[in-house]
Structure formats: C-alpha cells, structure tokens
Amino acid sequence: MEDVAKLAGVSISTVSHVVNETRPVAKSTLERVRAAIEETGYTGNAIARSLVTGGTRSIGVAMSLLANPHLAQLVHAIEAEATAAGYQVLLGDTLDSEDGERAAVRKLQARRVDGMLLTPAPGDTATLEMLARTGVPAVLVDRVSHKIKLDQVGAENIQSTSALVSHLAEAGHRRIGFISGVEWMGASEERTLGYRLGLGRAGLRWDSNLVAGGGASPQDGVLALRRLLTVPERPTAVITGNGAMTAGAYREARAHRLEVGRDLAIVGHDEVDWAELVPPGITTMAHPVDEIGRTAVRLLLARLDDGERPPETVLLPPVLNHRGSCGCPAPAPTAVPGAGFAEL
C-alpha cells in the first residue's frame, strides 16, 4: 500500500479509502491510485483487513454441484448481486449429503465468511439447527424448511402444484399420481398440500395409492414411478417433485415401453436443460432461479445489517412451461398467480 501511495502521489489513507471504498475521493485521484494499483499488482490483504474490520466482505455458498441442475445459473445470479454490493463469493460443495454439508459449512466458516447461503442436503437438520442456534447469518436457498428459524427463499409450491393438477384434469386425466420430495422439507409438504388442493378443485378423490414418497435424485424418481405402475388402476398422469426425479420417472416410463404424453403424462417442478431435447418435450413448472439467487443475497445483506430482525421467508411464483409430455397442445408460458401460502 505504501508503494501504491508513493507511485500515485497520495497518502496511504487515500489508498486505503480507494481499496476499501470507505470514503469518496476525487476522480483524478481515483484514476491515479487505480493506475498505481495496476502497475504494482497490489491486491491487498483480505485476511489482515478482516482482523481489523471484523468482516471479510465475503459470502459463503454451500450447495451441491451435482444435485442442483440450475447451480451455474443460481451461482451467477448470486455472484452478480453480491458483487454489486461489494462482496465476493466462496463456493463449497455439499455433495448433497449430511457429511458433505457439514464439511462445506465448516470450511466456509474457517474462511471467515460474513454470512452463508445454503441449499440444505436431504435429511440434514442438525447443520441448519446449529446455524440457527449459534446465530450465524444464513439464508436457505431453493429448499426451504419452515421448521428452522432462518431466512429462506424459494419457489411458491402450493398454488403451482395445484395448477399442475388442474392442467392435467382439464386434459381429461382422472388418475393423477404424485411423486413427492424429501419429507422434512417445507417445499415437499407444500407440494403435497397443493396436490390435494388441486384434486379437490378438479372434483377428484384423494387416493393414497397414487402418492409415492420420492426424494431428490433420479433413482428416487425411478423407484417411485415403478411403485405407482404396480397400482391395480395405475395413474395416467404423474407429477414429480423436482427435475432430477422427472428424469428418473421419464427413464422408468421408457423402460416399461410407455410413450410419454400418450400412455403416461409426466409433468414436474423445476425446469431442466433437456426438457426440449427429448420427444416429447417435458412440461415443467419452472422456478425463477435468477430472482431466487438475487433475493437470497438481499436477505443475507439485510441480516448482516440487522441481526435482530425476525426470520423472513420469501416465496416467488413459478412459470408453467407447457410442452408435449402432458399430451395436449402447448400454449405460451404463463406465470402462476398466488405466490405465498394458500388458505386451505
């Protein structure tokens, strides 16, 4: 920093203000300091600075690199919002497992991140409870759990799942199956409520034989559809809880020589990259991934600014991408109204 100051002809404190953006400086001075930084290759010492300021201006992101099909898009949105606020992003892979999640969280905490964005691994409530108990600034992203007192952001699930049921019922389906997600997650409970709500709105009877406990992986989708196809009066349409299970259900349908869209309709939550590449295209309830990522950062920054504010849950409306897997003509994509919790 002293070398930069000498080269730019300014004080060390002025260099500090430019680097840390703690006080405005004249444009000509700013340009001289930036030129000197470029010439000397000065990067600053984030660790040393964190010891003085108590913060690193960094956000930890703990997610699975394999289980999240929208990871690149989500991280891009998170990084764009964080960068605009003057924060850098550090990524830790949870491997979508309890042990992997704990390890990722520990590593990010060791890097002294100011706060954390986390997509919970299936079954790992201990890590979430630890974050809530110890007051670590954290936001749950995409997978929400209303049993944990943390800020969270994800897609609206009740009305959107009800809309999927209504769409299939309008196409003439009367035996509509449902492959649910991980049991402890709030999103899974909400989608089950939405499924039942949709059945009621369509005048269809609830049948527990048409519901199969899923999970979060393609294999969970395979096993769930395999069970549904053993029901004496099997479903003619199936709703899946996420993109990975949609892939598994599609694979299992093909294994049974069922033509998707004719012999069996398949629709599901989450837009997937291959939705338009398979015959027929998959009808999906696409989650607003970009807005989820940006909102997560805003929630975390609000938490860093005021640690005493009550935990907030934000649910954003998905969009129905209508393709051929439901066996009916496809109109333009439409937003699903009614973000938030339904009055049941």
Side-chain angles (χ1 to χ4, degrees), residues 28-107:
S28 59
T29 302
L30 179 65
E31 291 174 350
R32 292 204 312 275
V33 172
R34 286 178 173 171
I37 288 174
E38 184 73 21
E39 185 173 340
T40 60
Y42 172 72
T43 59
N45 190 327
I47 295 176
R49 186 160 58 248
S50 72
L51 296 176
V52 176
T53 64
T56 60
R57 303 289 292 183
S58 62
I59 292 173
V61 176
M63 297 178 179
S64 171
L65 302 181
L66 296 176
N68 190 333
H70 312 296
L71 183 70
Q73 183 181 356
L74 185 59
V75 170
H76 178 75
I78 289 170
E79 190 160 32
E81 192 71 19
T83 299
Y87 283 78
Q88 64 174 329
V89 173
L90 303 178
L91 183 62
D93 187 0
T94 67
L95 305 175
D96 213 33
S97 69
E98 296 181 49
D99 291 341
E101 182 163 276
R102 283 193 291 270
V105 168
R106 282 197 300 267
K107 288 177 182 178

Side-chain angles (χ1 to χ4, degrees), residues 64 67 95-98 101 119-126 128 142-147 157 178-193 211-221 224 239-246 269-270:
S64 171
L95 305 175
D96 213 33
S97 69
E98 296 181 49
E101 182 163 276
T119 298
D124 186 17
T125 58
L128 306 187
D142 197 31
R143 295 175 179 171
V144 302
S145 174
H146 303 296
K147 299 175 184 178
N157 292 295
F178 179 61
I179 299 176
S180 63
V182 179
E183 289 186 3
W184 66 270
M185 289 181 181
S188 299
E189 296 175 358
E190 291 167 11
R191 288 170 191 167
T192 300
L193 285 173
V211 179
S217 72
Q219 185 60 21
D220 291 322
I239 298 171
T240 64
N242 65 27
M245 290 194 296
T246 300
H269 277 272
D270 289 348

Side-chain angles (χ1 to χ4, degrees), residues 107-192:
K107 288 177 182 178
L108 290 171
Q109 287 181 308
R111 297 291 297 273
R112 298 174 58 87
V113 295
D114 295 337
M116 197 172 303
L117 305 181
L118 175 71
T119 298
D124 186 17
T125 58
T127 299
L128 306 187
E129 290 170 351
M130 179 275 293
L131 293 173
R133 184 177 63 254
T134 57
V136 174
V139 178
L140 303 188
V141 184
D142 197 31
R143 295 175 179 171
V144 302
S145 174
H146 303 296
K147 299 175 184 178
I148 304 296
K149 295 186 181 300
L150 290 171
D151 293 309
Q152 352 196 15
V153 57
E156 191 283 325
N157 292 295
I158 296 177
Q159 298 298 339
S160 57
T161 307
S162 176
L164 286 174
V165 176
S166 297
H167 177 72
L168 292 170
E170 289 170 2
H173 294 283
R174 289 294 174 265
R175 299 284 289 173
I176 302 173
F178 179 61
I179 299 176
S180 63
V182 179
E183 289 186 3
W184 66 270
M185 289 181 181
S188 299
E189 296 175 358
E190 291 167 11
R191 288 170 191 167
T192 300

